[in-house]
Each structure stands twice: as C-alpha cells, then as structure tokens.
Amino acid sequence: MEIANPAQPYVLLDAAGAVVEPVAGFFAELQACSRPPSTIRSYGMDLLRWWRFLDGWGLAWHRATRLEARDFARWMAIAPKPLRAHWRGRPDGKPAVAAARAGRGVPNAVTGRAGPGPLYSPTTRAHCETVLRSFYDFHLDAGTGPIINPFPAARERRQLPVAAGRSARQSPGGRYRPSVPVRIPRRIPDDRFNELFAALRHHRDRALLAFWVSNGARAEELLTSRQRDALPGEQLLGVIRKGTRAYQQLPSAADAFVWLRLYQEEARRAGVPQGPGRWLWWTLRRPFRPLTYHAARAMLNRANALLGANWTLHDLRHTAAYRMARDPGLALTDVQWVLGHANLSTTQIYLPAGREEIVDAVRAHHERQARQARIPAVPAAGYRADSLTELFGRTW
C-alpha cells in the first residue's frame, strides 16, 4: 500500500491490516541503497504474492523451508494470474473478465506482439525469485530470519545431475529461477509510428511522442522535466535520470520543440500554472495536475484502441535507440550517453536488425528463390536436345 510518507513510500499489510515489519525493514534497506519508490513497489508486489501463498498454508515467513520455496516456484509455473475487472466494466465484472481472458496471449495483428498470457511469464517468475532470495539474504545477514535461505543460489546446484551436452558449471541466479528467453528490443516501424502519431488528438500528446522517439528518454524520465528545462534554441531538454537521479540535458529533434510550443500556448490559454519551476507536462482537464506515468500510458492506450495495436511507452525508447545505434554517423558511445546505459554492451543490443528488417530480408530471399526457379535452364553447347529430353523428360 502506498502511503504519503517520503521515508516509507510503501508498506505491506497482512490479513489483519497490520504492517509486516520484516518487509518494512527490507524496504528500508532498499531505500538506503538508493532504490526508487517504483522499485520498492515492484519488490512489494512479489513479497505480497509470497505472503499470500504462505498464508494459504498457515505458515510463518521465517518457518518457510526449501520445500515451500520449491512448491511456490511450481505454483507460479501453473497457476493462472488473477485478473481484476476494469472499473468501467459491468457491475459484476464477469463479462469484462471473461472477455479479457479470451483475448490474452493472442498476437496483435498490428504489432505482432502477444498480449499477456493467462499464466505468469518467465520474466515475472524470475523477478519474483530474485526478490525473495534477496529478502531472505537480507534477514540472514541481519540474523532475523531462518538460518538457511529457502531460495538457494545457483552455486548450490553442483550435486544435481548435469544434462547431457551441458557444462557442469551452472548459470548464475537461483535454483528455482526459470530460463528467461532473450528478446530482441521491439521498435515501431516508421509507417506504424506515423499512424500512431496521427491517432493522437492533442498537441501535448504529440509533443510527448516526438520527444520520446527522438531523445530516447524513459517514459517516467521525460515527465520529470520542468518548464525551465526546455531549451528550444539549443534543442536540449533536461530530465532526471531514473537510476542515478542525476540531471541530464538530452538533445532532441527540432519538431519536438515545435509541438511543445503549440502545447504550451494551449496550456497557457487553458490556465495551466506557469513558471520556470513548474512542471512541464500537465493533465488536460481541471483541476490541473502534473502528468503521471499511468496517465501517459492511458493516453497511448487510447491511440492503440483506435489502431487495434498494443504499442507501449517503452517501445518509443527502443525506437529511438535503434535509430541512433543504426546511424553510421553516430558513435555508439554517444548513443550510450544519451540512453544513460552504464555498460556499452547494453547499447549494443540495438545494433542487430529488428524483427521487421529480418522478416523483409527473408521475404526477399524467398522471392529471389522463386524468380530463380522460373528461369529456364539452357544446356551447354554440344549436347543434343533429343538426348536431353529423353534423360530429363522436358523439351529443350
């Protein structure tokens, strides 16, 4: 649960409504390690899932063994995810839930991306395992938890049988951590981006997309800009970085500042608060409030509904990164600085061709093969046509 306390942004409540103190201590450790509130919330959702699992068995958290950890990993692999009805659905919510379940996991006709399936994804399961292993490691070091971590590390796999053809050295991580497939960062093709841009209804939304796709800022980073941070003359926009919380000025496209100027004029006439220290992005309706990540995502979802697509805000960052990384005139280290990557290897994942380019290249390959098959073969000089017809059964 989120509370209005900067020193304790989130807490976990038990079935009786009391604060779970072991989790509160873990959250304090995360905050001391400079983890943002969004990370604390993400960790809390995994811990809430674990707490509910233990409550179903009537077991205290410090009494959990590796047997419960193993069963929890098995449960996450086969249990369907809970699905809440949207608040705009019918009163009972059942038709909305049934419709949502019917469409989950089906690839989108526009983007090719499958929606969330009925089961927990390998990424979610791997994240949950990492969080729980870190939670018990914290209490193990503090002497406030069990003497053995229920979620063992991978180095303790040495006594397990090794599969044929595999090295005896195990991969890093946890014993119950699932294998996560490596995915190519998905970008928005230029024609699809033009359709998405045309589906927007307000200058604010157009300015947001223009900045996201030109400077590669994360969605929540762009929303940290103040009105003084926009410098059209230098084509720079200042943002607060997600991890380091450092202030950085990002070079952006000129058309992004054109849309920003149009939005600022509309906002001024509408009565949006003005001032250098005021937020740059605001809601469109009164009472005016600073734009949040969830409101920005809802804006994109409205455009997706018109197109029948399921693009995400992070796809815009992938698109900007792909365009910059594939530009031979731009050094990869410069792209790394703009994207805020700590390691160059993270930036290099945008160098290979994307899904659309690969699909187009394979299609062109099949077309060349088909054209080659239609070209008639001409026998070399000196061969008799009647002999070749007798051998191969065709007229030469």
Side-chain angles (χ1 to χ4, degrees):
M1 183 182 71
E2 184 178 7
I3 57 178
N5 184 1
Q8 196 178 30
Y10 289 94
V11 295
L12 180 65
L13 304 180
D14 59 14
V19 176
V20 180
E21 294 300 334
V23 176
F26 182 59
F27 284 174
E29 178 74 7
L30 293 175
Q31 192 175 38
C33 295
S34 302
R35 299 296 187 269
S38 58
T39 299
I40 297 176
R41 180 185 182 278
S42 176
Y43 280 35
M45 298 303 293
D46 292 328
L47 288 166
L48 175 61
R49 191 178 297 116
W50 171 245
W51 239 256
R52 288 174 174 173
F53 179 83
L54 294 178
D55 186 67
W57 292 98
L59 191 65
W61 71 276
H62 59 281
R63 298 292 183 182
T65 64
R66 292 184 178 177
L67 180 61
E68 284 76 31
R70 184 195 65 184
D71 290 343
F72 178 72
R74 296 169 57 202
W75 172 79
M76 285 200 67
I78 62 176
K81 294 186 296 187
L83 185 64
R84 295 179 299 176
H86 195 273
W87 63 275
R88 289 180 177 174
R90 298 185 180 181
D92 55 4
K94 294 181 180 179
V97 172
R101 285 197 184 279
R104 297 172 78 180
V106 179
N108 185 270
V110 177
T111 66
R113 177 197 287 114
L119 304 179
Y120 291 104
S121 66
T123 305
T124 301
R125 290 156 50 200
H127 186 272
C128 189
E129 189 274 340
T130 302
V131 170
L132 295 178
R133 181 156 41 87
S134 303
F135 170 75
Y136 279 101
D137 278 342
F138 165 73
H139 284 285
L140 186 63
D141 294 339
T144 55
I147 60 175
I148 297 178
N149 192 330
F151 294 87
R155 62 179 178 270
E156 302 179 31
R157 294 182 179 180
R158 58 182 179 272
Q159 297 179 354
L160 296 179
V162 180
R166 283 192 172 185
S167 171
R169 183 179 179 181
Q170 300 293 337
S171 59
R175 177 185 297 182
Y176 305 129
R177 181 182 179 87
S179 299
V180 179
V182 179
R183 295 178 296 181
I184 300 177
R186 182 178 295 273
R187 72 176 185 90
I188 305 178
D190 294 342
D191 55 342
R192 296 297 186 183
F193 177 79
N194 293 336
E195 295 175 358
L196 180 63
F197 196 85
L200 301 175
R201 297 181 297 175
H202 304 283
H203 290 323
R204 183 206 63 182
D205 305 340
R206 301 184 184 102
L208 283 168
L209 255 68
F211 277 111
W212 275 321
V213 83
S214 64
N215 60 25
R218 297 177 180 86
E220 59 270 26
E221 291 176 347
L222 188 63
L223 301 179
T224 62
S225 298
R226 306 277 181 163
Q227 295 182 20
R228 60 170 176 264
D229 297 328
L231 304 176
E234 304 176 34
Q235 290 186 220
L236 295 175
L237 180 68
V239 300
I240 303 297
R241 282 302 188 182
K242 178 182 177 182
T244 62
R245 310 305 299 171
Y247 178 79
Q248 183 175 353
Q249 291 179 319
L250 300 178
S252 307
D255 61 331
F257 287 97
V258 174
W259 291 112
L260 176 62
R261 187 66 188 92
L262 293 173
Y263 160 62
Q264 287 178 321
E265 183 61 24
E266 281 188 349
R268 184 188 62 82
R269 292 198 301 265
V272 170
Q274 303 293 313
R278 298 282 190 173
W279 296 104
L280 181 60
W281 310 103
W282 295 80
T283 57
L284 298 175
R285 296 177 179 83
R286 295 178 182 272
F288 297 114
R289 299 178 302 275
L291 191 67
T292 63
Y293 171 81
H294 299 288
R297 187 175 61 178
M299 170 268 296
L300 185 64
N301 288 339
R302 287 192 293 269
N304 279 331
L306 295 176
L307 302 174
N310 60 352
W311 302 115
T312 65
L313 293 177
H314 208 63
D315 290 338
L316 298 167
R317 174 174 165 86
H318 287 324
T319 303
Y322 180 83
R323 291 178 179 179
M324 289 187 286
R326 300 279 288 184
D327 186 355
L330 191 60
L332 195 61
T333 52
D334 297 339
V335 181
Q336 176 190 7
W337 180 86
V338 172
L339 297 178
H341 290 157
N343 301 311
L344 188 62
S345 59
T346 306
T347 312
Q348 290 175 336
I349 65 176
Y350 298 98
L351 289 177
R355 169 184 173 274
E356 291 76 16
E357 286 78 7
I358 296 175
V359 171
D360 292 341
V362 175
R363 286 173 179 168
H365 161 73
H366 291 311
E367 292 176 0
R368 290 192 298 269
Q369 293 293 316
R371 288 195 302 267
Q372 186 69 25
R374 291 193 296 266
I375 298 176
V378 179
Y383 289 93
R384 295 175 55 183
D386 55 346
S387 300
L388 293 176
T389 303
E390 182 69 21
L391 290 173
F392 300 105
R394 54 176 293 187
T395 303
W396 300 85

